[in-house]
PDB file of all heavy atoms in Angstrom:
ATOM      1  N   GLY A 648     103.354  96.446 122.005  1.00 98.00           N
ATOM      2  CA  GLY A 648     104.294  97.126 122.888  1.00 98.00           C
ATOM      3  C   GLY A 648     103.876  98.543 123.197  1.00 98.00           C
ATOM      4  O   GLY A 648     103.022  99.132 122.523  1.00 98.00           O
ATOM      5  N   LYS A 649     104.471  99.103 124.238  1.00 98.00           N
ATOM      6  CA  LYS A 649     104.206 100.484 124.625  1.00 98.00           C
ATOM      7  C   LYS A 649     104.691 101.427 123.529  1.00 98.00           C
ATOM      8  O   LYS A 649     105.744 101.226 122.951  1.00 98.00           O
ATOM      9  CB  LYS A 649     104.907 100.822 125.945  1.00 98.00           C
ATOM     10  CG  LYS A 649     104.255 100.197 127.172  1.00 98.00           C
ATOM     11  CD  LYS A 649     105.001 100.557 128.449  1.00 98.00           C
ATOM     12  CE  LYS A 649     104.988 102.065 128.705  1.00 98.00           C
ATOM     13  NZ  LYS A 649     103.613 102.587 128.939  1.00 98.00           N
ATOM     14  N   ASP A 650     103.890 102.463 123.287  1.00 98.00           N
ATOM     15  CA  ASP A 650     104.236 103.384 122.210  1.00 98.00           C
ATOM     16  C   ASP A 650     103.869 104.809 122.590  1.00 98.00           C
ATOM     17  O   ASP A 650     103.211 105.043 123.613  1.00 98.00           O
ATOM     18  CB  ASP A 650     103.531 102.961 120.914  1.00 98.00           C
ATOM     19  CG  ASP A 650     104.247 103.463 119.671  1.00 98.00           C
ATOM     20  OD1 ASP A 650     105.356 104.025 119.796  1.00 98.00           O
ATOM     21  OD2 ASP A 650     103.696 103.293 118.573  1.00 98.00           O
ATOM     22  N   GLU A 651     104.292 105.742 121.767  1.00 98.00           N
ATOM     23  CA  GLU A 651     104.035 107.156 121.976  1.00 98.00           C
ATOM     24  C   GLU A 651     103.641 107.814 120.664  1.00 98.00           C
ATOM     25  O   GLU A 651     103.923 107.291 119.579  1.00 98.00           O
ATOM     26  CB  GLU A 651     105.297 107.870 122.509  1.00 98.00           C
ATOM     27  CG  GLU A 651     105.780 107.409 123.857  1.00 98.00           C
ATOM     28  CD  GLU A 651     107.043 108.152 124.302  1.00 98.00           C
ATOM     29  OE1 GLU A 651     107.464 109.089 123.580  1.00 98.00           O
ATOM     30  OE2 GLU A 651     107.595 107.798 125.348  1.00 98.00           O
ATOM     31  N   LEU A 652     103.021 108.963 120.777  1.00 98.00           N
ATOM     32  CA  LEU A 652     102.791 109.850 119.654  1.00 98.00           C
ATOM     33  C   LEU A 652     103.464 111.170 119.992  1.00 98.00           C
ATOM     34  O   LEU A 652     102.948 111.958 120.752  1.00 98.00           O
ATOM     35  CB  LEU A 652     101.300 110.047 119.400  1.00 98.00           C
ATOM     36  CG  LEU A 652     100.869 110.664 118.070  1.00 98.00           C
ATOM     37  CD1 LEU A 652      99.365 110.517 117.867  1.00 98.00           C
ATOM     38  CD2 LEU A 652     101.246 112.148 117.946  1.00 98.00           C
ATOM     39  N   TRP A 653     104.670 111.351 119.471  1.00 97.00           N
ATOM     40  CA  TRP A 653     105.459 112.573 119.696  1.00 97.00           C
ATOM     41  C   TRP A 653     105.518 112.922 121.180  1.00 97.00           C
ATOM     42  O   TRP A 653     105.271 114.039 121.590  1.00 97.00           O
ATOM     43  CB  TRP A 653     104.901 113.740 118.878  1.00 97.00           C
ATOM     44  CG  TRP A 653     105.965 114.630 118.313  1.00 97.00           C
ATOM     45  CD1 TRP A 653     107.029 114.262 117.559  1.00 97.00           C
ATOM     46  CD2 TRP A 653     106.051 116.061 118.460  1.00 97.00           C
ATOM     47  NE1 TRP A 653     107.780 115.371 117.200  1.00 97.00           N
ATOM     48  CE2 TRP A 653     107.198 116.480 117.744  1.00 97.00           C
ATOM     49  CE3 TRP A 653     105.282 117.014 119.101  1.00 97.00           C
ATOM     50  CZ2 TRP A 653     107.585 117.824 117.656  1.00 97.00           C
ATOM     51  CZ3 TRP A 653     105.657 118.349 119.016  1.00 97.00           C
ATOM     52  CH2 TRP A 653     106.807 118.740 118.314  1.00 97.00           C
ATOM     53  N   GLY A 654     105.816 111.891 121.995  1.00 95.00           N
ATOM     54  CA  GLY A 654     105.983 112.095 123.424  1.00 95.00           C
ATOM     55  C   GLY A 654     104.746 111.807 124.262  1.00 95.00           C
ATOM     56  O   GLY A 654     104.848 111.665 125.480  1.00 95.00           O
ATOM     57  N   LYS A 655     103.581 111.705 123.630  1.00 97.00           N
ATOM     58  CA  LYS A 655     102.348 111.398 124.364  1.00 97.00           C
ATOM     59  C   LYS A 655     102.219 109.887 124.508  1.00 97.00           C
ATOM     60  O   LYS A 655     102.235 109.152 123.527  1.00 97.00           O
ATOM     61  CB  LYS A 655     101.140 111.956 123.625  1.00 97.00           C
ATOM     62  CG  LYS A 655      99.815 111.645 124.310  1.00 97.00           C
ATOM     63  CD  LYS A 655      98.634 112.149 123.488  1.00 97.00           C
ATOM     64  CE  LYS A 655      97.317 111.796 124.154  1.00 97.00           C
ATOM     65  NZ  LYS A 655      96.154 112.255 123.337  1.00 97.00           N
ATOM     66  N   ASP A 656     102.074 109.430 125.740  1.00 98.00           N
ATOM     67  CA  ASP A 656     101.981 108.001 126.017  1.00 98.00           C
ATOM     68  C   ASP A 656     100.692 107.427 125.436  1.00 98.00           C
ATOM     69  O   ASP A 656      99.594 107.893 125.744  1.00 98.00           O
ATOM     70  CB  ASP A 656     102.026 107.783 127.536  1.00 98.00           C
ATOM     71  CG  ASP A 656     102.061 106.314 127.925  1.00 98.00           C
ATOM     72  OD1 ASP A 656     102.160 105.453 127.015  1.00 98.00           O
ATOM     73  OD2 ASP A 656     101.989 106.018 129.135  1.00 98.00           O
ATOM     74  N   LEU A 657     100.826 106.400 124.594  1.00 98.00           N
ATOM     75  CA  LEU A 657      99.672 105.739 123.999  1.00 98.00           C
ATOM     76  C   LEU A 657      99.341 104.423 124.684  1.00 98.00           C
ATOM     77  O   LEU A 657      98.375 103.758 124.298  1.00 98.00           O
ATOM     78  CB  LEU A 657      99.928 105.477 122.508  1.00 98.00           C
ATOM     79  CG  LEU A 657     100.138 106.706 121.617  1.00 98.00           C
ATOM     80  CD1 LEU A 657     100.437 106.263 120.190  1.00 98.00           C
ATOM     81  CD2 LEU A 657      98.928 107.632 121.644  1.00 98.00           C
ATOM     82  N   GLY A 658     100.147 104.028 125.658  1.00 98.00           N
ATOM     83  CA  GLY A 658      99.950 102.739 126.285  1.00 98.00           C
ATOM     84  C   GLY A 658     100.446 101.610 125.392  1.00 98.00           C
ATOM     85  O   GLY A 658     101.243 101.817 124.477  1.00 98.00           O
ATOM     86  N   VAL A 659      99.958 100.405 125.648  1.00 98.00           N
ATOM     87  CA  VAL A 659     100.354  99.247 124.857  1.00 98.00           C
ATOM     88  C   VAL A 659      99.500  99.193 123.597  1.00 98.00           C
ATOM     89  O   VAL A 659      98.277  99.224 123.661  1.00 98.00           O
ATOM     90  CB  VAL A 659     100.202  97.941 125.660  1.00 98.00           C
ATOM     91  CG1 VAL A 659     100.499  96.731 124.781  1.00 98.00           C
ATOM     92  CG2 VAL A 659     101.131  97.961 126.874  1.00 98.00           C
ATOM     93  N   ILE A 660     100.174  99.123 122.452  1.00 98.00           N
ATOM     94  CA  ILE A 660      99.508  99.142 121.155  1.00 98.00           C
ATOM     95  C   ILE A 660      99.672  97.782 120.478  1.00 98.00           C
ATOM     96  O   ILE A 660     100.759  97.189 120.499  1.00 98.00           O
ATOM     97  CB  ILE A 660     100.098 100.245 120.255  1.00 98.00           C
ATOM     98  CG1 ILE A 660      99.891 101.620 120.885  1.00 98.00           C
ATOM     99  CG2 ILE A 660      99.496 100.191 118.853  1.00 98.00           C
ATOM    100  CD1 ILE A 660      98.450 102.040 121.027  1.00 98.00           C
ATOM    101  N   GLU A 661      98.616  97.317 119.845  1.00 98.00           N
ATOM    102  CA  GLU A 661      98.682  96.107 119.041  1.00 98.00           C
ATOM    103  C   GLU A 661      99.078  96.511 117.622  1.00 98.00           C
ATOM    104  O   GLU A 661      98.241  96.926 116.819  1.00 98.00           O
ATOM    105  CB  GLU A 661      97.322  95.397 119.035  1.00 98.00           C
ATOM    106  CG  GLU A 661      97.320  94.085 118.269  1.00 98.00           C
ATOM    107  CD  GLU A 661      95.974  93.400 118.294  1.00 98.00           C
ATOM    108  OE1 GLU A 661      95.138  93.757 119.145  1.00 98.00           O
ATOM    109  OE2 GLU A 661      95.753  92.509 117.452  1.00 98.00           O
ATOM    110  N   HIS A 662     100.352  96.412 117.320  1.00 98.00           N
ATOM    111  CA  HIS A 662     100.861  96.872 116.032  1.00 98.00           C
ATOM    112  C   HIS A 662     100.551  95.869 114.928  1.00 98.00           C
ATOM    113  O   HIS A 662     100.545  94.657 115.156  1.00 98.00           O
ATOM    114  CB  HIS A 662     102.366  97.110 116.124  1.00 98.00           C
ATOM    115  CG  HIS A 662     102.742  98.167 117.117  1.00 98.00           C
ATOM    116  ND1 HIS A 662     102.630  99.509 116.851  1.00 98.00           N
ATOM    117  CD2 HIS A 662     103.185  98.075 118.401  1.00 98.00           C
ATOM    118  CE1 HIS A 662     103.009 100.200 117.911  1.00 98.00           C
ATOM    119  NE2 HIS A 662     103.336  99.358 118.865  1.00 98.00           N
ATOM    120  N   HIS A 663     100.314  96.397 113.719  1.00 98.00           N
ATOM    121  CA  HIS A 663     100.040  95.546 112.564  1.00 98.00           C
ATOM    122  C   HIS A 663     100.445  96.303 111.305  1.00 98.00           C
ATOM    123  O   HIS A 663     100.925  97.442 111.380  1.00 98.00           O
ATOM    124  CB  HIS A 663      98.562  95.142 112.524  1.00 98.00           C
ATOM    125  CG  HIS A 663      97.608  96.295 112.645  1.00 98.00           C
ATOM    126  ND1 HIS A 663      97.278  97.112 111.593  1.00 98.00           N
ATOM    127  CD2 HIS A 663      96.934  96.784 113.721  1.00 98.00           C
ATOM    128  CE1 HIS A 663      96.435  98.036 111.979  1.00 98.00           C
ATOM    129  NE2 HIS A 663      96.206  97.864 113.283  1.00 98.00           N
ATOM    130  N   LYS A 664     100.238  95.698 110.153  1.00 97.00           N
ATOM    131  CA  LYS A 664     100.773  96.257 108.911  1.00 97.00           C
ATOM    132  C   LYS A 664     100.159  97.602 108.545  1.00 97.00           C
ATOM    133  O   LYS A 664     100.761  98.365 107.771  1.00 97.00           O
ATOM    134  CB  LYS A 664     100.589  95.278 107.754  1.00 97.00           C
ATOM    135  CG  LYS A 664      99.153  94.995 107.360  1.00 97.00           C
ATOM    136  CD  LYS A 664      99.104  93.986 106.219  1.00 97.00           C
ATOM    137  CE  LYS A 664      97.662  93.661 105.821  1.00 97.00           C
ATOM    138  NZ  LYS A 664      96.941  94.837 105.302  1.00 97.00           N
ATOM    139  N   ASP A 665      98.991  97.930 109.069  1.00 97.00           N
ATOM    140  CA  ASP A 665      98.352  99.203 108.756  1.00 97.00           C
ATOM    141  C   ASP A 665      98.523 100.243 109.861  1.00 97.00           C
ATOM    142  O   ASP A 665      97.925 101.314 109.795  1.00 97.00           O
ATOM    143  CB  ASP A 665      96.858  98.982 108.490  1.00 97.00           C
ATOM    144  CG  ASP A 665      96.608  98.131 107.258  1.00 97.00           C
ATOM    145  OD1 ASP A 665      97.313  98.330 106.251  1.00 97.00           O
ATOM    146  OD2 ASP A 665      95.732  97.244 107.312  1.00 97.00           O
ATOM    147  N   SER A 666      99.322  99.935 110.886  1.00 97.00           N
ATOM    148  CA  SER A 666      99.506 100.857 112.002  1.00 97.00           C
ATOM    149  C   SER A 666     100.437 102.010 111.619  1.00 97.00           C
ATOM    150  O   SER A 666     101.559 101.783 111.166  1.00 97.00           O
ATOM    151  CB  SER A 666     100.127 100.125 113.197  1.00 97.00           C
ATOM    152  OG  SER A 666      99.318  99.084 113.659  1.00 97.00           O
ATOM    153  N   LEU A 667      99.968 103.225 111.837  1.00 98.00           N
ATOM    154  CA  LEU A 667     100.867 104.372 111.740  1.00 98.00           C
ATOM    155  C   LEU A 667     101.769 104.373 112.972  1.00 98.00           C
ATOM    156  O   LEU A 667     101.327 104.080 114.078  1.00 98.00           O
ATOM    157  CB  LEU A 667     100.081 105.676 111.674  1.00 98.00           C
ATOM    158  CG  LEU A 667      99.328 105.967 110.376  1.00 98.00           C
ATOM    159  CD1 LEU A 667      98.567 107.277 110.487  1.00 98.00           C
ATOM    160  CD2 LEU A 667     100.278 106.011 109.189  1.00 98.00           C
ATOM    161  N   HIS A 668     103.011 104.729 112.773  1.00 98.00           N
ATOM    162  CA  HIS A 668     104.001 104.694 113.850  1.00 98.00           C
ATOM    163  C   HIS A 668     104.846 105.951 113.782  1.00 98.00           C
ATOM    164  O   HIS A 668     105.212 106.423 112.693  1.00 98.00           O
ATOM    165  CB  HIS A 668     104.897 103.462 113.676  1.00 98.00           C
ATOM    166  CG  HIS A 668     105.657 103.070 114.916  1.00 98.00           C
ATOM    167  ND1 HIS A 668     106.767 103.776 115.357  1.00 98.00           N
ATOM    168  CD2 HIS A 668     105.486 102.051 115.796  1.00 98.00           C
ATOM    169  CE1 HIS A 668     107.236 103.200 116.457  1.00 98.00           C
ATOM    170  NE2 HIS A 668     106.469 102.158 116.743  1.00 98.00           N
ATOM    171  N   ASP A 669     105.156 106.535 114.927  1.00 98.00           N
ATOM    172  CA  ASP A 669     106.155 107.615 114.951  1.00 98.00           C
ATOM    173  C   ASP A 669     107.424 107.115 114.282  1.00 98.00           C
ATOM    174  O   ASP A 669     107.963 106.070 114.665  1.00 98.00           O
ATOM    175  CB  ASP A 669     106.493 107.994 116.401  1.00 98.00           C
ATOM    176  CG  ASP A 669     105.628 109.121 116.939  1.00 98.00           C
ATOM    177  OD1 ASP A 669     104.540 109.355 116.387  1.00 98.00           O
ATOM    178  OD2 ASP A 669     106.035 109.756 117.933  1.00 98.00           O
ATOM    179  N   ILE A 670     107.931 107.877 113.317  1.00 98.00           N
ATOM    180  CA  ILE A 670     109.223 107.503 112.731  1.00 98.00           C
ATOM    181  C   ILE A 670     110.324 108.456 113.189  1.00 98.00           C
ATOM    182  O   ILE A 670     111.480 108.304 112.814  1.00 98.00           O
ATOM    183  CB  ILE A 670     109.158 107.431 111.195  1.00 98.00           C
ATOM    184  CG1 ILE A 670     108.906 108.804 110.566  1.00 98.00           C
ATOM    185  CG2 ILE A 670     108.101 106.424 110.759  1.00 98.00           C
ATOM    186  CD1 ILE A 670     109.048 108.814 109.056  1.00 98.00           C
ATOM    187  N   ARG A 671     109.933 109.428 113.999  1.00 98.00           N
ATOM    188  CA  ARG A 671     110.867 110.388 114.593  1.00 98.00           C
ATOM    189  C   ARG A 671     111.849 110.918 113.540  1.00 98.00           C
ATOM    190  O   ARG A 671     111.444 111.440 112.519  1.00 98.00           O
ATOM    191  CB  ARG A 671     111.561 109.772 115.806  1.00 98.00           C
ATOM    192  CG  ARG A 671     110.578 109.399 116.937  1.00 98.00           C
ATOM    193  CD  ARG A 671     109.836 110.604 117.505  1.00 98.00           C
ATOM    194  NE  ARG A 671     108.805 110.228 118.450  1.00 98.00           N
ATOM    195  CZ  ARG A 671     108.944 110.231 119.772  1.00 98.00           C
ATOM    196  NH1 ARG A 671     110.106 110.574 120.311  1.00 98.00           N
ATOM    197  NH2 ARG A 671     107.937 109.893 120.543  1.00 98.00           N
ATOM    198  N   SER A 672     113.141 110.760 113.742  1.00 98.00           N
ATOM    199  CA  SER A 672     114.094 111.428 112.848  1.00 98.00           C
ATOM    200  C   SER A 672     114.267 110.760 111.491  1.00 98.00           C
ATOM    201  O   SER A 672     114.990 111.295 110.642  1.00 98.00           O
ATOM    202  CB  SER A 672     115.451 111.567 113.534  1.00 98.00           C
ATOM    203  OG  SER A 672     115.389 112.562 114.535  1.00 98.00           O
ATOM    204  N   VAL A 673     113.589 109.644 111.258  1.00 98.00           N
ATOM    205  CA  VAL A 673     113.489 109.169 109.874  1.00 98.00           C
ATOM    206  C   VAL A 673     112.769 110.234 109.043  1.00 98.00           C
ATOM    207  O   VAL A 673     112.953 110.328 107.827  1.00 98.00           O
ATOM    208  CB  VAL A 673     112.768 107.807 109.808  1.00 98.00           C
ATOM    209  CG1 VAL A 673     112.566 107.354 108.364  1.00 98.00           C
ATOM    210  CG2 VAL A 673     113.568 106.749 110.568  1.00 98.00           C
ATOM    211  N   SER A 674     111.978 111.075 109.716  1.00 98.00           N
ATOM    212  CA  SER A 674     111.336 112.217 109.046  1.00 98.00           C
ATOM    213  C   SER A 674     112.368 113.065 108.315  1.00 98.00           C
ATOM    214  O   SER A 674     112.071 113.640 107.255  1.00 98.00           O
ATOM    215  CB  SER A 674     110.603 113.087 110.070  1.00 98.00           C
ATOM    216  OG  SER A 674     109.695 112.346 110.851  1.00 98.00           O
ATOM    217  N   LYS A 675     113.553 113.185 108.876  1.00 98.00           N
ATOM    218  CA  LYS A 675     114.600 114.000 108.261  1.00 98.00           C
ATOM    219  C   LYS A 675     114.962 113.491 106.868  1.00 98.00           C
ATOM    220  O   LYS A 675     115.182 114.274 105.935  1.00 98.00           O
ATOM    221  CB  LYS A 675     115.837 114.039 109.156  1.00 98.00           C
ATOM    222  CG  LYS A 675     115.637 114.733 110.503  1.00 98.00           C
ATOM    223  CD  LYS A 675     116.896 114.665 111.347  1.00 98.00           C
ATOM    224  CE  LYS A 675     116.824 115.541 112.594  1.00 98.00           C
ATOM    225  NZ  LYS A 675     115.864 115.067 113.586  1.00 98.00           N
ATOM    226  N   SER A 676     115.046 112.163 106.739  1.00 98.00           N
ATOM    227  CA  SER A 676     115.379 111.589 105.434  1.00 98.00           C
ATOM    228  C   SER A 676     114.268 111.856 104.427  1.00 98.00           C
ATOM    229  O   SER A 676     114.539 112.047 103.230  1.00 98.00           O
ATOM    230  CB  SER A 676     115.616 110.086 105.574  1.00 98.00           C
ATOM    231  OG  SER A 676     116.631 109.812 106.518  1.00 98.00           O
ATOM    232  N   ILE A 677     113.014 111.883 104.886  1.00 98.00           N
ATOM    233  CA  ILE A 677     111.888 112.212 104.015  1.00 98.00           C
ATOM    234  C   ILE A 677     111.979 113.662 103.556  1.00 98.00           C
ATOM    235  O   ILE A 677     111.778 113.978 102.371  1.00 98.00           O
ATOM    236  CB  ILE A 677     110.550 111.974 104.749  1.00 98.00           C
ATOM    237  CG1 ILE A 677     110.421 110.504 105.187  1.00 98.00           C
ATOM    238  CG2 ILE A 677     109.385 112.408 103.881  1.00 98.00           C
ATOM    239  CD1 ILE A 677     110.120 109.520 104.115  1.00 98.00           C
ATOM    240  N   VAL A 678     112.286 114.565 104.485  1.00 99.00           N
ATOM    241  CA  VAL A 678     112.415 115.980 104.136  1.00 99.00           C
ATOM    242  C   VAL A 678     113.516 116.180 103.093  1.00 99.00           C
ATOM    243  O   VAL A 678     113.333 116.890 102.096  1.00 99.00           O
ATOM    244  CB  VAL A 678     112.685 116.828 105.388  1.00 99.00           C
ATOM    245  CG1 VAL A 678     113.021 118.269 104.998  1.00 99.00           C
ATOM    246  CG2 VAL A 678     111.480 116.802 106.326  1.00 99.00           C
TER     247      VAL A 678
END
């Protein structure tokens, strides 16, 4: 599916178990 890196268009990405993904505000729970 189409994805982004902090707003930068990455196009269509083939996601898999080792793919890093923007977690956006889930970052808040980590902090």
Side-chain angles (χ1 to χ4, degrees):
K649 286 179 62 64
D650 204 7
E651 297 179 5
L652 195 168
W653 218 53
K655 178 184 178 181
D656 185 6
L657 298 178
V659 175
I660 299 296
E661 183 179 343
H662 298 282
H663 51 80
K664 66 181 179 63
D665 295 319
S666 299
L667 288 178
H668 198 285
D669 268 21
I670 66 171
R671 298 298 173 98
S672 287
V673 176
S674 306
K675 295 177 170 68
S676 303
I677 300 285
V678 172

